[in-house]
Amino acid sequence: MIDTHMHADSRSSEDFEKMYLAGIKTAITCSYYPYRIEHEIILLNHLNRILEYDTKRASEYGLDLKVALGIHPTNTIKNPEPIYKNLYRWIENNQIVAIGEIGLEDLTDAEIATFKKQLDIASETNSKVIIHTPRKNKREVLKEILDILPQHLDEKQAVIDHINPEVVGDAIDTDCMLGLTVQPQKMNKSEAISILDEYGFDRFLLNSDISNKPSDPLSVAKTIRELERLGHDAGDIEKISHKNAQEFFEI
């Protein structure tokens, strides 16, 4: 199994062990700094910590931790240029599997400019992107994301994450992959399965988004086991369990 979106820097090593023992062999950790950022060096240190420290922590418990780095919309900073410079380096050195998570939260001008720039970097470097959609005003913000995205990047290079039953219909006709986040206060496994039952398994990725907020490190494994219990086709389960992620992120 592959958990396609988590935040390893805010989780204990014991969570990595639980995930591995439950059958999650690979996970993708994304950037998100939950504190105020006074200077770009703080964000750069956060990104380097994920890349150099959390991957090592996870590996000690058997979890193969892949990395996505970028400027989360809530981490928008006055001087993002050092981050952009390092993104090019990390991509060139094959150190990250995607730019992420990026996106929009409050629709500020600074957020939008940072989002567009990172999409342009992805287009220039032929990289994948993981795009955040917020808990509040999700439909309004998603509409803006879906308007901006195709102007800067081929939709086939993007996953729109944190899709739920209320907005899946707004994104299903794009060429994007869609991330289903099974996390307390976001969406439960039954809601995720209902989306798969209605729209099929080809376009979706599954993740826990474990972070500093209420989380379940086993939500991906629990959802896969529930699909098995309900008697879903084994080939479909393989798609949402790992195959879609392997093909999209080339991992």
Side-chain angles (χ1 to χ4, degrees):
M1 285 179 271
I2 299 176
D3 187 333
T4 60
H5 187 138
M6 63 177 287
H7 297 279
D9 58 297
S10 63
R11 305 304 299 187
S12 69
S13 297
E14 287 79 7
D15 281 347
F16 305 152
E17 183 177 34
K18 290 176 184 177
M19 293 169 72
Y20 177 73
L21 292 175
I24 299 171
K25 294 183 177 181
T26 303
I28 298 173
T29 189
C30 301
S31 54
Y32 163 65
Y33 193 73
Y35 310 106
R36 184 173 180 179
I37 297 176
E38 299 285 357
H39 193 279
E40 63 270 12
I41 194 64
I42 297 174
L43 181 55
L44 187 57
N45 286 341
H46 162 67
L47 301 179
N48 278 314
R49 175 242 161 95
I50 294 169
L51 192 62
E52 298 172 7
Y53 179 63
D54 291 312
T55 51
K56 181 179 179 182
R57 277 202 307 140
S59 70
E60 292 172 352
Y61 291 86
L63 186 65
D64 181 15
L65 194 62
K66 308 296 186 183
V67 178
L69 298 179
I71 303 176
H72 189 285
T74 62
N75 296 150
T76 301
I77 53 178
K78 292 181 179 179
N79 180 25
E81 291 302 324
I83 310 301
Y84 300 152
K85 181 179 178 180
N86 277 276
L87 276 177
Y88 283 109
R89 179 171 61 85
W90 292 323
I91 293 166
E92 182 179 357
N93 293 337
N94 296 313
Q95 292 174 280
I96 61 176
V97 299
I99 299 174
E101 66 188 293
I102 62 175
L104 299 174
E105 180 80 19
D106 297 315
L107 298 179
T108 66
D109 290 343
E111 277 183 14
I112 291 171
T114 301
F115 179 47
K116 289 179 177 178
K117 175 62 177 180
Q118 292 180 104
L119 292 176
D120 289 339
I121 293 173
S123 181
E124 182 182 343
T125 60
N126 194 30
S127 299
K128 302 296 172 55
V129 296
I130 298 173
I131 300 177
H132 163 90
T133 59
R135 296 170 187 250
K136 62 182 181 180
N137 301 325
K138 186 179 287 284
R139 172 162 280 131
E140 176 189 358
V141 175
L142 177 60
K143 182 178 183 298
E144 186 71 17
I145 288 170
L146 294 179
D147 179 59
I148 291 171
L149 175 61
Q151 300 178 48
H152 294 265
L153 182 69
D154 186 337
E155 290 181 340
K156 293 179 180 179
Q157 293 172 237
V159 51
I160 307 291
D161 224 326
H162 316 319
I163 292 295
N164 63 23
E166 285 69 42
V167 300
V168 62
D170 299 332
I172 196 66
D173 290 330
T174 69
D175 287 327
C176 303
M177 293 295 288
L178 305 178
L180 301 178
T181 297
V182 179
Q183 184 187 41
Q185 303 177 0
K186 277 190 178 178
M187 183 168 65
N188 62 42
K189 64 179 183 291
S190 296
E191 292 172 313
I193 291 171
S194 71
I195 290 174
L196 296 170
D197 285 339
E198 181 170 357
Y199 295 101
F201 288 70
D202 292 341
R203 295 276 307 288
F204 294 96
L205 304 174
L206 187 62
N207 67 76
S208 65
D209 194 26
I210 55 175
S211 64
N212 62 310
K213 295 181 173 66
S215 304
D216 180 0
L218 301 184
S219 68
V220 168
K222 290 176 180 178
T223 304
I224 295 302
R225 297 309 182 207
E226 182 68 3
L227 286 166
E228 293 172 345
R229 187 188 70 80
L230 293 172
H232 282 75
D233 177 77
D236 285 339
I237 294 174
E238 285 186 350
K239 290 177 183 178
I240 195 66
S241 168
H242 61 278
K243 283 191 172 180
N244 289 352
Q246 286 175 335
E247 292 176 3
F248 180 78
F249 292 107
E250 300 177 0
I251 55 177

